[in-house]
Amino acid sequence: MTDFNPAHARLFPTQGLSLGLMTPVAARGLADPREARRTARLADDLGFAALWTRDVPLMVPQGPDATASALDDPFLWLGMLAAATERIVIGTAAIVLPLRQPLQVAKSALTLDRISSGRFVLGLGSGDRPEEFAVFGEDLESRATTFRERWSLLRAALSPESSERASVLQATGGYDVLPAPARRIPMLVVGTARQSLQWIAREAEGWATYHREETAQEGRIGLWQQALAQRGGAPKPFVQSMLLDLQADPAAPAEPLPLGLKVGRDGLRDYLLRVHAQGVAHVMFNLVDNGRPLDDVLREIGEQVLPDTLR
């Protein structure tokens, strides 16, 4: 198999746990692009491995307070961050594939991989908002099948291998999307996308899922490793997202949050080392705006926590 692009090695080092950030970072409402570029450069300089963004097609109110997320187009957003940085990986977590035309996703992915010099990772999910499926004319109940079908065509369109790309030419009447990439673009499944772990272990370069209480997460990691063992071949990474409310007091004890933790840096460091020992390869932080200056939070993680996780 062709080697992966440089993003794969940066995101999944042979030693240690890498850390990433969900973007826009701790933003309220539409993010300021200038501030986002500045924050991205700081994260790059501090040694964070990745900048991630979500695909939210419509501003559908959700949650107990009925808030609606306002997020820019993920591919355009990541193109901006790629232009502002030099080393950090840019990734989607996740593109809602059943609401997207797979050849258009392939075009965007190939372009981002090219303009970032191979720093792009494509995370994909199945979506769960009935309102969006209705507006886009897609069947919510069929999204598992739609995901698999579109994944197959997308995978072929992103492949460096001519034998794998044959199905794209067949689907388009002989026309390619863009020239084949020199190296394979990593594709991750985010959530389960309503697929079995055996399917994910076979088809994806890794699995990204949500924060859970440590014992429960250890069980999920065990299931993932079992699915990989059944498949055979090389191991594949487990990625975890995490809501993080980092306290100013380094010794502040950990308190559970929905999908994350409220904790000081000492407890955060200990937690990250534990989950890495369980099998987590990368953690993407979704930072809570708790009133602390964002730069202070990023520097504290980058200077006081990150060096220990990479050992």
Side-chain angles (χ1 to χ4, degrees):
M1 179 179 288
T2 306
D3 290 340
F4 290 112
N5 68 7
H8 190 275
R10 181 72 189 276
L11 202 58
F12 309 122
T14 55
Q15 179 175 325
L17 170 72
S18 69
L19 304 179
L21 298 169
M22 186 63 68
T23 69
V25 180
R28 296 180 179 179
L30 277 174
D32 181 346
R34 181 178 300 178
E35 178 64 15
R37 293 192 294 270
R38 190 195 65 79
T39 300
R41 286 190 289 269
L42 177 59
D44 198 9
D45 291 341
L46 288 170
F48 284 88
L51 299 169
W52 300 91
T53 198
R54 296 186 296 144
D55 183 15
V56 181
L58 298 178
M59 294 178 61
V60 179
Q62 287 192 312
D65 53 358
T67 57
S69 297
L71 294 178
D72 291 292
D73 176 85
F75 293 117
L76 292 174
W77 181 261
L78 291 179
M80 177 187 73
L81 298 185
T85 56
E86 297 180 359
R87 297 167 297 277
I88 200 164
V89 172
I90 55 171
T92 58
I95 295 300
V96 184
L97 189 54
L99 300 182
R100 296 267 187 168
Q101 209 287 337
L103 294 180
Q104 291 177 331
V105 174
K107 185 86 165 185
S108 296
L110 289 165
T111 301
L112 273 177
D113 187 63
R114 192 170 69 86
I115 66 177
S116 69
S117 299
R119 291 187 284 136
F120 178 63
V121 173
L122 180 61
L124 300 149
S126 62
D128 58 6
R129 301 183 181 188
E131 299 89 344
E132 291 177 339
F133 279 78
V135 169
F136 281 83
E138 297 289 349
D139 181 15
L140 180 70
E141 299 306 318
S142 300
R143 65 190 185 275
T145 300
T146 303
F147 183 90
R148 289 193 300 273
E149 292 172 347
R150 295 184 182 180
W151 174 286
S152 179
L153 183 59
L154 176 58
R155 163 68 85 184
L158 297 184
S159 176
E161 307 291 346
S162 57
S163 59
E164 295 180 12
R165 297 173 67 84
S167 60
V168 177
L169 301 179
Q170 183 178 5
T172 62
Y175 303 107
D176 217 333
V177 177
L178 278 178
R183 299 180 183 179
R184 190 174 296 275
I185 298 171
M187 293 172 63
L188 308 179
V189 170
V190 180
T192 64
R194 303 181 71 83
Q195 310 302 318
S196 69
L197 285 185
Q198 288 72 24
W199 186 92
I200 299 171
R202 183 180 70 248
E203 298 291 334
E205 270 68 69
W207 182 33
T209 187
Y210 308 100
H211 174 92
R212 293 175 177 84
E213 184 274 328
E214 288 182 53
T215 301
Q217 193 73 307
E218 187 174 16
R220 297 292 281 179
I221 295 168
L223 291 173
W224 172 240
Q225 292 173 342
Q226 183 179 12
L228 290 172
Q230 292 171 353
R231 167 190 169 273
K236 295 182 178 182
F238 183 98
V239 176
Q240 175 187 309
S241 64
M242 176 183 175
L243 191 71
L244 175 61
D245 184 349
L246 188 67
Q247 299 299 287
D249 177 6
E255 300 177 28
L257 296 174
L259 302 179
L261 292 175
K262 177 179 179 181
V263 67
R265 72 165 181 256
D266 294 342
L268 175 63
R269 183 190 300 111
D270 292 344
Y271 167 80
L272 292 173
L273 294 176
R274 288 196 304 272
V275 298
H276 177 54
Q278 292 172 356
V280 177
H282 177 78
V283 172
M284 56 177 79
F285 292 131
N286 190 356
L287 296 181
V288 173
D289 182 0
N290 60 9
R292 296 186 64 192
L294 176 58
D295 285 14
D296 290 354
V297 173
L298 293 181
R299 290 188 185 280
E300 185 170 8
I301 298 172
E303 295 171 356
Q304 304 296 327
V305 177
L306 180 57
D308 291 324
T309 70
L310 289 175
R311 291 177 181 174

